[in-house]
Amino acid sequence: MTGILSLMLAVPVVAAILCLFVSANGARWIALAATLADLVLGIILWLNYDIGGPQWQFVEYQPLFSRFAWALGIDGIALMLTLLSVFLMPICILASWSSIEKRVQEYMAAFLVMETMMIGVFMAQDIFLFYIFFEAGLIPMFLIIGIWGGANRIYASYKFFLYTLVGSLLMLVAMLWMVNYAGTTEIPKLLTTDFPRQAQFWLWLAFFASFAVKMPMWPVHTWLPDAHVQAPTAGSVILAGVLLKLGGYGFVRFSLPMFPDASAQLFWLVMGLSLVAIVYTSLVALVQKDMKKLIAYSSVAHMAFVTIGIFAFNRQGIEGALVVMLSHGLVSGALFLCVGVIYDRLHTREIERYGGLSNNMPAYAVLFLLFTMASVGLPGTGGFVGEFLSLIGAYKAHSLVGAIATTGIILGAAYMLYLYWRVAYGTSRNADAAAMPDLNGRELVSLGTIALVVLWMGIYPESFLAPMRKDVDVLMARIERAAPASDSRLAKSAHAPAAAAAHVTAAEGAHH
Amino acid sequence: MGESLALTLPEIILTVGAIALMMVAAYGGDRSARAITWIAIAVLIAAAVFVPGIRDAGGVAFDGLFVADSFAAFSKILVYIAAAIGLVAATGWFSRDGDYRAEYPVLILLSSVGMGMMVSAGDLLTLYVGLELQSLSAYVLASFQRTDNRSAEAGLKYFVLGALASGILLYGVSLLYGFTGSTLFGDIAVALGTDGVSAGELFGLVFVLAGIAFKVSAVPFHMWTPDVYEGAPTPVTAFFASAPKVAAIALLTRLAIEGMGPATFEWRQIVIFMALASTILGGVAAIGQPNIKRLLAYSSINNVGFILIGLAAANREGVAAILFYMAVYVVMTLGSFLVVLRMRDEADRPVETIASLSGLSRTRPGLAAAMAMFMFSLAGIPPLFGFWPKFLVFDAAVRADLTWLAAVGIATSAISAYYYLKIIKTMYFDEPAPAYARSHDVPQTVLIAAAALFVSPLGYLAIPLIQPLAANAASALF
C-alpha cells in the first residue's frame, strides 16, 4: 500500500493539467473521473486502515528538498478528513456541471488542484510540507472566487486571500523556531517534543492566528460570509466542507499536543471567543436575508462547537469536535448545494423571493429538511452526535461554558427552522418560484448520497469514531497533565472518560 | 602574477571581448548590432564557463585586492547569466523601434566587468573601481533611447544621484582607511576587532553602507529607483533590476561579513532598519502604482528588504539564503520584465499601464499564466518557488535569534502580496482590454517559458543543485 497517498495527490494534479488542453465537456468528464478515482482510492485507504494498528499508517518518506522531506502518512483523524474531502469533491464537480459555463477548463483545473492541496494538508507528516499545502490552497480558491464568483467577487477574493495569508505567515515563523529548537521537521517527532513553557505561549498564539482565521473564529470570521456569498456553489461547498476543517485539524494536530501548557493557559481565551461566536453569530444568522450568508454565519457558530470541544481537554470534547467537523462538512456542504439548486433556477439567494417550495419541489423539500435538521442537531443525524459529545466535554471542562454553549443549539434551531419555514412552507409568493421544477437526477444523486452518509453518521457513529479513537487516546495521554482546573465533580475519577464515551456512543446507536 | 591573471580570466575575457566588439561596432556600424549582440552573449557564456572557484578552490589575486572564491564565482555566474538574458531581451525590443545600436551589448559587457570586480573585491579600492565601471555603463544605458525625454531624464537622474552616492561611499572609504590604516577587508576586520569600534570607524562604516545601499536601492536610499526604472528603456530596466542588484548585494554581503565582521553588532542595526523599511515601503508605495515598471521597481525594493533580513542574520545560513534568494529573484524579475516587454498595443507601441493587462488570461492565456506565476512567486506564496528563498531567509533569521525580525518581516510580506494579487486580478478577473500585438520573438518566448517553469513547483527539484553551491559559496566568507 506504500505510495497510495502520493497517488491520491498525483491523480488530481495530472487531471488538472489535462483539463487545460481539452474541450469544456472533456474537462467536466476528466474532473469527474479524477475525483471519483480519488474517492475510490480513499475508500481503499479506509478499508485497509488498520484500526488499533500503528499510529501512523501508509507512511512514505523521501528526503527530497534538502531541508524537509516528502513525508506522508495518516492517522485516524487525518483518514476521516481525507475521506470527507474526496467524498465531497465529485459532488462539487457535479454541482458545477451546468452552472459553470465560462472557462470550464480552468475552473475544473482549479478545483482539482484544490483537492490535492486539501488532502495534502491532512497527509503531510513534515511540518513544512504541511505549510506548503496549507498555504497553496489559497491560490486556487482565490481564482475560483474571483473568476466565477458573484457580483462582489473581487472584494471577497481579496479578503479571503489576505486574511488567511496574514494568519498563516506568523505560523511559518513559529514553525521555523520549532524546527530550529527540536532539530527535526517531522510532525510525529515534534508531537513528542516538550517546548519550554514561555515559548509555548508565543508559538501557540502564532498557530492560533492562522487556525483561528481559517476556522474561522469570532472576530476574524468576517471574510467567511463574504467569500461564501460570492463564491460559486461548489466553491462554497468546498469552503464550508473542507477548508474550514483545516483550522480544526490544525488545532488537534498542532496546538493541543504540541503546546498543551499554553493551551491550558489560554483556555479562557478560546472559550470566550467561541462562546461569543456561538451566541453572536447565531443571532446574526437569525436576521439574514441572504440564504448563503445565513448558512455562512451558522458555520461560524458550528465551528465554535469544534473549538470548545477541542480545548475542553477531555475525550468527549475532542471526539465530539471531530464528529462535528465531519458532520458539519457534510451538512453545510449539502445546505450550500440546496441553495445552489434553487439559485440555479431563479438566480437569487434572497429568502424573500422563495416560499412554498414544498408544493412544487417535494423531493427537494424533503432533503432540505433533512439537512436543516442535521444542522440543528436532531438525534439520528451526525450533527447530534457531534454537538452532544462536545457539549458533554464542555460541561466537564466548565459548567459555565457548557451552559452558554447549549444556547447555541436553541438558537441554531431557531434560525434554521425559520429559514426552512420561509423557503419551503406556506404559499408561494412569486410565480417564478412556484414554477421551479424539482430536483433533476444529477442533483438528486449529489444530495441523496450526502443524506445517506449523514444518517449513517447519526445512527452508527462508531464507524467514523473507531479509526479516530486511538488517536484521541494518544492525544489525551499527552495533554492530560496540563488540563486546566475544572469545576466538574466528575473530574476526580480519571478512568471515567473512556467508559463514558463508549457508553454515550453505544447509547446513541441503541436509541436510533 | 600569472596566477593572479588566471584568477581574473573571466574579467579578461569580458574586457577583451568588449574592446574587440567596440572596434567591430565602430567599423560595422549599427548594421552589425544583431551579430554583436549574439557574440556578446557568447562572450558572457565563455566568461561564465571560465569562472574560477566553482570546480577548484579559487584563490586570492593581486595580494588580496581581488578575491576569486566560490562566493564570487556563484555571484559572477548569476550576474553573467542575467546580463546575457538582458541582451536577449533587448534585441527583440529595440529592433522594433529601430534605434538599437551596436554600443548596447558593449556597454553591457563593460558593466559586467565592473560587476565581476564588485563581487570579487577584497579591498575598498577594487570595490570602488568595480562599482564605478558598472555605474558609468549603467548611466549611459539608462539614457540609451536618446529621442525619448523620459529616458534622458532617467539617465541624468541616475547619474546625479549615483555620483552623490559614490561621493558618500568614497568619503566612508577614506574614513575607514584613516582610522583602520588599510583598505583591505581583512586588515579592516582585524583593526575593528582589536580595540572595539571607534567613532571614526563607525562613521566610515555608516557612510560606506549608505553608499552601497544606494546601489542596492534599499530604503531610505531608494528614491531614484522608481523614476529610473520607469524612464529607462524596458530591457535596460530588466537589466538594472537583475544583474547589478546581484552584484551590489554580493558586494555588500562580502564587505559586511568579511570586512566588518567584528562590527556586526553595529552594522546589524542599520541593516535591520533598511530591511524593514524596504519591505514596508516597497509594499505600501507600490499599491497605488498604475505603471507596471514602477510597480516592479517597488517590488525590487521590497525584495531587497527580504534579502537584507538574510544579511542581518550574519550567519552561514543567512549568506547561503541571500545567494539562493538572488538566484530565484533574478529569474522572477527577468521573467516579469520579459512579459512587460511583450506589452505592445496594436500599433506596436510599448504600453506600460497595469490596466492594459486586463483580461489577459483570455486574450493571451499562456502569457497571463506565466505572469501569474511570477507574481505569486514574487509574493512568496507556496507552492511556487519564490516561497523557498523567503523561507530560507526567515529560517536564517530565526537561527540567528532574530525571531522578532523574522516575524515582522514576514508580516510585511502580506502588504506586498496585495499588489501582486492586484495584477493577477487584473489579468484574470477583469474584462479583456484590447489584445496586445502578437510577437514572434522565439528566444523571448523560450525564456519566458523556462523562467515560468523554474518558478513553478517544479523549481523545487533544482534545490539539490543550487543549495550545495550556495552553501559552499557562503562558507567562503566564514
Side-chain angles (χ1 to χ4, degrees):
Chain A
M1 274 320 205
T2 327
I4 187 171
L5 299 184
S6 289
L7 184 64
M8 284 180 78
L9 292 175
V11 168
V13 170
V14 174
I17 295 169
L18 283 181
C19 275
L20 293 175
F21 297 100
V22 294
S23 68
N25 234 357
R28 291 189 178 106
W29 284 107
I30 289 178
L32 186 63
T35 48
L36 284 175
D38 248 23
L39 176 58
V40 170
L41 287 171
I43 292 170
I44 294 176
L45 206 61
W46 194 8
L47 295 177
N48 283 286
Y49 184 82
D50 178 14
I51 295 171
Q55 189 189 0
W56 303 100
Q57 304 188 14
F58 309 102
V59 177
E60 292 172 37
Y61 189 88
Q62 182 70 40
L64 196 58
F65 306 136
S66 77
R67 197 153 308 180
F68 67 99
W70 180 257
L72 301 175
I74 50 169
D75 63 351
I77 299 171
L79 169 75
M80 281 298 135
L81 289 166
T82 308
L83 277 175
L84 175 70
S85 319
V86 293
F87 173 73
L88 284 175
M89 276 310 290
I91 294 173
C92 285
I93 302 293
L94 284 178
S96 329
W97 202 264
S98 55
S99 58
I100 299 297
E101 288 155 355
K102 56 167 191 176
R103 301 162 91 177
V104 179
Q105 293 91 331
E106 288 160 289
Y107 178 87
M108 293 299 168
F111 251 90
L112 290 166
V113 171
M114 185 84 222
E115 175 169 27
T116 297
M117 297 309 161
M118 288 181 318
I119 58 181
V121 168
F122 300 130
M123 291 174 179
Q125 279 217 306
D126 184 292
I127 195 161
F128 292 129
L129 194 63
F130 168 87
Y131 181 81
I132 288 182
F133 282 126
F134 189 79
E135 192 92 322
L138 294 182
I139 297 177
M141 201 63 206
F142 173 72
L143 296 177
I144 288 170
I145 298 176
I147 301 179
W148 296 278
N152 201 11
R153 58 185 200 275
I154 290 168
Y155 171 74
S157 62
Y158 271 116
K159 201 168 175 182
F160 163 77
F161 196 99
L162 292 174
Y163 259 68
T164 35
L165 178 70
V166 173
S168 36
L169 286 175
L170 290 173
M171 181 171 77
L172 179 62
V173 177
M175 285 177 170
L176 289 169
W177 193 92
M178 286 160 66
V179 168
N180 197 25
Y181 178 86
T184 176
T185 58
E186 289 171 57
I187 291 176
K189 284 188 190 153
L190 287 168
L191 280 172
T192 52
T193 308
D194 291 308
F195 293 101
R197 275 189 83 106
Q198 182 63 26
Q200 273 194 30
F201 180 77
W202 293 106
L203 295 173
W204 190 93
L205 283 180
F207 276 78
F208 184 71
S210 173
F211 298 142
V213 173
K214 205 86 175 182
M215 194 86 188
M217 290 176 77
W218 184 85
V220 284
H221 67 285
T222 54
W223 63 269
L224 184 74
D226 286 311
H228 265 318
V229 170
Q230 301 303 331
T233 303
S236 296
V237 173
I238 232 46
L239 201 55
V242 185
L243 286 190
L244 301 192
K245 308 303 171 286
L246 299 184
Y249 178 74
F251 282 135
V252 175
R253 176 65 69 237
F254 296 94
S255 302
L256 204 50
M258 290 186 189
F259 326 119
D261 297 310
S263 300
Q265 196 183 346
L266 292 155
F267 174 81
W268 280 109
L269 173 71
V270 179
M271 291 303 165
L273 294 181
S274 306
L275 292 176
V276 171
I278 287 183
V279 177
Y280 168 76
T281 54
S282 296
L283 291 173
V284 173
L286 208 51
V287 295
Q288 291 307 315
K289 293 191 172 72
D290 182 309
M291 272 188 266
K292 269 189 160 180
K293 229 172 190 165
L294 191 152
I295 301 171
Y297 279 110
S298 87
S299 288
V300 182
H302 280 111
M303 286 295 107
F305 280 107
V306 174
T307 40
I308 286 182
I310 290 174
F311 288 98
F313 274 87
N314 53 47
R315 161 178 291 282
Q316 290 88 337
I318 293 168
E319 285 191 351
L322 292 170
V323 179
V324 171
M325 277 169 36
L326 293 178
S327 82
H328 176 266
L330 296 169
V331 172
S332 68
L335 285 171
F336 279 116
L337 283 177
C338 286
V339 175
V341 165
I342 49 177
Y343 180 80
D344 284 347
R345 289 166 174 62
L346 217 56
H347 294 284
T348 173
R349 290 179 304 262
E350 235 178 282
I351 300 172
E352 287 300 308
R353 293 275 286 111
Y354 299 95
L357 292 191
S358 53
N359 299 321
N360 56 323
M361 301 177 75
Y364 173 78
V366 168
L367 285 169
F368 190 18
L369 181 65
L370 175 75
F371 296 124
T372 304
M373 289 305 166
S375 176
V376 169
L378 191 77
T381 62
F384 170 74
V385 181
E387 289 183 4
F388 187 69
L389 281 173
S390 42
L391 282 176
I392 292 183
Y395 268 112
K396 277 182 75 176
H398 202 282
S399 53
L400 184 68
V401 175
I404 300 176
T406 314
T407 62
I409 303 280
I410 302 167
L411 289 168
Y415 62 72
M416 282 314 291
L417 293 177
Y418 184 45
L419 168 73
Y420 188 77
W421 171 58
R422 282 180 291 172
V423 172
Y425 289 156
T427 52
S428 40
R429 269 162 293 213
N430 290 296
D432 50 357
M436 293 196 300
D438 207 351
L439 299 177
N440 62 28
R442 184 169 50 77
E443 291 159 347
L444 197 61
V445 169
S446 310
L447 290 173
T449 330
I450 303 183
L452 288 179
V453 180
V454 169
L455 287 174
W456 178 11
M457 197 180 281
I459 293 168
Y460 193 67
E462 184 60 17
S463 315
F464 301 91
L465 276 170
M468 301 195 285
R469 185 156 289 128
K470 192 155 168 283
D471 303 309
V472 179
D473 282 337
V474 175
L475 186 58
M476 285 308 299
R478 173 112 181 108
I479 60 171
E480 221 145 27
R481 61 173 178 82
S486 150
D487 67 342
S488 157
R489 271 169 291 161
L490 271 175
K492 289 197 176 64
S493 48
H495 63 277
H503 185 69
V504 167
T505 46
E508 279 146 17
H511 271 295
H512 312 295
Chain B
M1 194 65 190
E3 205 179 311
S4 290
L5 287 176
L7 288 171
T8 52
L9 189 58
E11 279 73 23
I12 293 173
I13 294 176
L14 287 174
T15 314
V16 172
I19 293 170
L21 287 177
M22 207 180 330
M23 298 314 284
V24 177
Y27 289 100
D30 288 342
R31 278 172 293 115
S32 56
R34 239 190 141 72
I36 290 178
T37 307
W38 289 106
I39 299 172
I41 292 170
V43 170
L44 281 167
I45 293 171
V49 170
F50 288 106
V51 165
I54 282 290
R55 269 169 259 98
D56 49 74
V60 177
F62 304 114
D63 301 323
L65 289 177
F66 188 93
V67 187
D69 53 6
S70 50
F71 179 83
F74 188 98
S75 315
K76 266 183 210 175
I77 290 178
L78 205 53
V79 163
Y80 296 159
I81 292 174
I85 294 176
L87 274 177
V88 176
T91 50
W93 198 83
F94 280 116
S95 58
R96 285 191 177 186
D97 294 340
D99 53 2
Y100 191 55
R101 307 180 70 87
E103 292 90 348
Y104 188 88
V106 176
L107 285 168
I108 297 263
L109 284 185
L110 286 173
S111 181
S112 303
V113 178
M115 291 187 282
M117 287 182 69
M118 282 161 74
V119 300
S120 278
D123 183 286
L124 289 172
L125 290 179
T126 329
L127 179 158
Y128 184 73
V129 172
L131 199 64
E132 281 308 292
L133 181 52
Q134 180 267 321
S135 301
L136 280 172
S137 318
Y139 303 145
V140 182
L141 284 171
S143 51
F144 201 73
Q145 234 168 2
R146 284 176 299 184
T147 49
D148 183 354
N149 274 340
R150 284 196 314 167
S151 179
E153 186 193 326
L156 191 64
K157 230 177 226 169
Y158 196 15
F159 175 70
V160 170
L161 289 171
L164 179 69
S166 296
I168 293 173
L169 178 71
L170 263 188
Y171 186 53
V173 167
S174 67
L175 279 173
L176 271 185
Y177 175 63
F179 281 91
T180 62
S182 174
T183 53
L184 277 170
F185 289 0
D187 294 352
I188 293 173
V190 171
L192 290 175
T194 41
D195 53 350
V197 181
S198 69
E201 287 163 343
L202 191 62
F203 265 91
L205 187 148
V206 169
F207 277 106
V208 169
L209 281 184
I212 300 175
F214 175 88
K215 298 292 172 191
V216 302
S217 65
V219 178
F221 304 100
H222 66 286
M223 273 80 90
W224 60 277
T225 318
D227 290 341
V228 173
Y229 276 29
E230 186 190 358
T234 312
V236 177
T237 314
F239 174 72
F240 283 174
S242 53
K245 272 249 154 107
V246 173
I249 285 168
L251 166 82
L252 176 61
T253 308
R254 187 193 290 278
L255 178 63
I257 305 282
E258 265 190 6
M260 302 171 175
T264 302
F265 175 77
E266 281 78 12
W267 61 253
R268 180 179 269 168
Q269 304 168 35
I270 303 173
V271 169
I272 287 179
F273 170 76
M274 291 198 299
L276 291 181
S278 301
T279 54
I280 293 172
L281 191 118
V284 175
I287 289 176
Q289 295 302 332
N291 182 300
I292 183 95
K293 281 162 80 180
R294 281 188 91 86
L295 185 128
L296 287 172
Y298 282 108
S299 152
S300 87
I301 295 172
N302 183 269
N303 276 292
V304 164
F306 289 116
I307 294 177
L308 289 179
I309 289 180
L311 180 59
N315 52 14
R316 205 178 290 248
E317 291 83 14
V319 175
I322 292 174
L323 292 172
F324 204 114
Y325 199 119
M326 289 194 300
V328 181
Y329 166 77
V330 162
V331 178
M332 295 188 294
T333 307
L334 284 175
S336 330
F337 273 109
L338 284 171
V339 176
V340 173
L341 287 174
R342 284 293 173 88
M343 293 167 58
R344 282 168 177 275
D345 62 12
E346 295 282 273
D348 220 25
R349 282 183 309 253
V351 276
E352 291 169 8
T353 58
I354 292 173
S356 76
L357 282 165
S358 297
L360 190 68
S361 67
R362 269 179 278 178
T363 51
R364 302 286 289 280
L367 200 61
M371 189 65 167
M373 288 224 251
F374 297 134
M375 290 298 120
F376 274 128
S377 193
L378 279 167
I381 309 290
L384 293 156
F385 199 35
F387 163 71
W388 190 246
K390 284 212 169 73
F391 172 89
L392 290 177
V393 163
F394 293 126
D395 188 37
V398 170
R399 278 165 196 253
D401 273 330
L402 290 170
T403 311
W404 72 270
L405 177 63
V408 177
I410 209 165
T412 61
S413 78
I415 308 174
S416 53
Y418 175 76
Y419 64 78
Y420 295 125
L421 282 187
K422 197 173 80 173
I423 299 203
I424 293 164
K425 172 226 142 200
T426 312
M427 292 191 304
Y428 277 85
F429 302 172
D430 290 354
E431 288 306 311
Y436 294 136
R438 295 244 157 225
S439 158
H440 301 286
D441 193 335
V442 179
Q444 263 189 32
T445 314
V446 172
L447 282 177
I448 293 178
L453 273 185
F454 183 75
V455 302
S456 77
L458 293 178
Y460 285 81
L461 300 176
I463 294 178
L465 295 175
I466 305 175
Q467 190 71 34
L469 287 178
N472 185 32
S475 55
L477 294 194
F478 289 90

